[in-house]
């Protein structure tokens, strides 16, 4: 179903929509399309995968994992996790407000805060919860938020939950962003606190906006800034500290949210900021207060990943070199891509609905990749999203480019 069909489907009454969606699902299965994939074994550059409705696992090349540095299967990290299991067990035993907060949690929060030049941080089970945490913990209906139109669904849902007045902006058009801020100020004066959030490394295409200019606009208008750096930590910056290090802006945003489940290879997320802001989150944010604290083995995994960032810079360097190699190879093969510094490479195709068929055929041939299609991106902006790992070899990347080229021609 192309984007136009999906838009028409969304407009139907619920029961009719449910019927149509389920019938479409069954038709897709009959046509052999993927409705989900299930992996087996450690997360790595090659894995065993199968369709959800198949019984057969087979090995595929993985170019769709967020484990950009290969840390999910790193021997040093795995040993640290084993040691933590022996010493601490497997669960935190409660939420941070009750029994689920330990010295190990606190030490890791402080370590993560330093990555952005902040005083403190709170740990959450995942990026979704982290965005719910800062929106609902800091904002109320007396405030207003201006958010990046590319923001994760968790930000949008959190805004709805908090009942906060909101505006969206295009991070490629900071002039319009500034006009929005100034209109709010002209209407409300200083009576409302304005918050604004923007992605560091954009998840849909790996690009980075003019963050320094964005921060300056916010400063000039007393706007509290929140950087979503889920895809930035571990992938950009000289030592992998993320977008702020990459642009020499450490300490220049009020809050930073990032995950520990992508380049760091583990699980969980964190929000870092000043002592005052983190105090509010720690004491008044329900997603933090009433969710079980991260398990000790997970704390150990994140801590070990940070050890590798500090002591083994070749992981980040290899990722950067692999990204450049893959970008050159795709362009030499005639593909339209967007070059960036992160581990994400988008490959664009002109025909609406083409990437869905392409990705299915690539998977049959042994390539696991992801696609971005409506409603994740606007109609006509569909793309194959390749995620590069520091452990990929030139031979594997060459093979992937050849597979994409040959499959695209055949379709």
């Amino acid at each position: 179903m192309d984007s136009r069909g999906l838009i028409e489907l969304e407009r139907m009454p619920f029961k009719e929509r449910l019927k149509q969606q389920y019938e479409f699902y069954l038709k897709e299965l009959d046509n052999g399309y993927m409705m989900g994939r299930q992996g087996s074994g450690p997360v790595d550059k090659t894995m065993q995968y199968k369709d959800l409705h198949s019984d057969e696992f087979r090995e595929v090349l993985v170019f769709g994992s967020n484990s950009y540095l290969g840390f999910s299967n790193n021997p040093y990290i795995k040993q640290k996790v084993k040691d933590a299991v022996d010493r601490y067990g497997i669960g935190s035993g409660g939420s941070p407000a009750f029994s689920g907060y330990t010295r190990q949690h606190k030490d890791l929060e402080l370590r993560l805060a330093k990555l952005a030049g902040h005083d403190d941080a709170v740990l959450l089970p995942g990026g979704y919860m982290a965005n719910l945490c800062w929106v609902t913990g800091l904002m109320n209906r007396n405030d207003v938020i201006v958010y990046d139109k590319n923001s994760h669904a968790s930000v949008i849902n959190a805004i709805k939950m908090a009942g906060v007045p909101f505006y969206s902006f295009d991070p490629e058009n900071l002039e319009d962003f500034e006009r929005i801020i100034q209109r709010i100020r002209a209407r409300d004066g200083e009576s409302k606190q304005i918050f604004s959030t923007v992605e560091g490394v954009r998840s849909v295409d790996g690009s980075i906006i003019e963050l320094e200019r964005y921060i300056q606009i916010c400063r000039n208008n007393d706007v509290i800034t929140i950087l979503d750096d889920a895809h930035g930590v571990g992938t950009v910056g000289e030592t992998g500290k993320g977008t702020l290090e990459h642009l020499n802006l450490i300490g220049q945003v009020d809050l930073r949210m990032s995950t520990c489940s992508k380049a760091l290879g583990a699980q969980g997320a964190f929000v870092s900021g000043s002592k005052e802001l983190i105090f509010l989150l720690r004491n008044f944010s329900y997603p933090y207060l009433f969710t079980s604290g991260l398990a000790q083995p997970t704390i150990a995994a994140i801590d070990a990943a940070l050890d590798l960032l500090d002591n083994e810079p070749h992981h980040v360097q290899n990722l950067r070199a692999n990204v450049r190699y893959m970008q050159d190879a795709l362009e030499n093969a005639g593909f339209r891509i967007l070059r960036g510094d992160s581990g994400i490479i988008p490959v664009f195709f002109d025909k609406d609905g083409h990437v869905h068929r392409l990705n299915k055929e690539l998977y049959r041939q042994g390539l696991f990749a992801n696609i971005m299609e409506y409603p994740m991106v606007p109609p006509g902006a569909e793309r194959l999203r390749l995620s590069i790992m520091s452990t990929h070899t030139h031979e594997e990347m060459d093979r992937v480019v050849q597979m994409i080229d040959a499959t695209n021609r055949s379709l």
Side-chain angles (χ1 to χ4, degrees), residues 34-53:
M34 295 178 293
M35 301 305 291
R37 293 173 287 195
Q38 177 183 335
S40 176
V43 174
D44 215 326
K45 63 178 184 174
T46 59
M47 285 183 64
Q48 295 285 325
Y49 267 97
K50 74 176 186 68
D51 291 342
L52 286 182
H53 298 278

Side-chain angles (χ1 to χ4, degrees), residues 132-363:
L132 295 185
C133 170
W134 71 258
V135 174
T136 61
L138 297 180
M139 303 184 68
N140 61 36
R141 295 178 184 180
N142 295 317
D143 305 314
V144 61
I145 185 167
V146 185
Y147 68 92
D148 180 348
K149 72 173 188 177
N150 302 298
S151 292
H152 193 269
S154 54
V155 174
I156 313 302
N157 286 358
I159 291 170
K160 292 177 180 177
M161 288 172 61
V164 178
F166 60 87
Y167 302 83
S168 67
F169 73 97
D170 183 348
E172 297 298 319
N173 187 350
L174 290 180
E175 291 85 357
D176 186 57
F177 169 68
E178 188 168 18
R179 284 192 291 270
I180 293 171
I181 298 294
Q182 290 173 347
R183 284 199 300 269
I184 297 170
R185 280 282 175 248
R187 184 192 65 204
D188 299 320
E190 302 299 321
S191 64
K192 287 185 179 293
Q193 177 61 58
I194 304 175
F195 292 75
S196 182
T197 181
V198 69
E199 287 196 325
V201 172
R202 191 180 304 166
S203 60
V204 297
D205 57 27
S207 63
I208 300 174
I209 71 158
E210 296 179 67
L211 188 61
E212 184 174 9
R213 186 176 170 211
Y214 165 83
I215 292 171
Q216 192 59 54
I217 293 170
C218 291
R219 279 184 176 171
N220 292 342
N221 294 277
D222 188 30
V223 176
I224 293 176
T225 52
I226 303 95
L227 177 69
D228 182 335
D229 214 23
H231 290 271
V233 171
T235 68
V236 296
E238 185 178 351
T239 63
K241 290 185 174 68
T243 305
L244 295 175
E245 181 186 41
H246 180 65
L247 298 176
N248 195 28
L249 294 170
I250 287 180
Q252 300 302 303
V253 295
D254 296 300
L255 289 171
R256 176 168 76 168
M257 190 288 294
S258 191
T259 59
C260 307
S261 55
K262 296 180 174 64
L264 299 186
Q267 184 184 6
F270 61 96
V271 182
S272 65
S274 67
K275 290 180 180 178
E276 294 84 357
L277 290 172
I278 299 305
F279 168 82
L280 287 180
L281 297 184
R282 201 180 295 283
N283 289 278
F284 298 102
S285 174
Y286 284 6
Y288 174 77
L289 286 168
F290 299 111
T291 301
S292 291
L294 289 181
Q296 292 279 19
T298 302
I299 297 291
I302 300 167
D303 209 43
L306 295 178
D307 289 344
L308 295 184
L309 282 185
D310 288 341
N311 303 320
E312 298 184 4
H314 68 270
H315 297 289
V316 176
Q317 293 165 2
N318 288 350
L319 173 63
R320 193 160 295 131
N322 278 352
V323 169
R324 288 195 297 265
Y325 184 91
M326 190 66 168
Q327 289 170 338
D328 291 342
L330 287 163
E331 287 185 332
N332 290 337
F335 288 105
R336 181 165 58 94
I337 68 170
L338 182 64
R339 296 186 77 101
D341 297 303
S342 74
I344 298 170
I345 303 178
V347 187
F348 298 95
F349 300 89
D350 295 328
K351 188 176 180 181
D352 189 13
H354 179 70
V355 291
H356 194 85
R357 296 187 295 274
L358 175 69
N359 196 38
K360 173 61 182 178
E361 188 57 36
L362 288 172
Y363 179 67

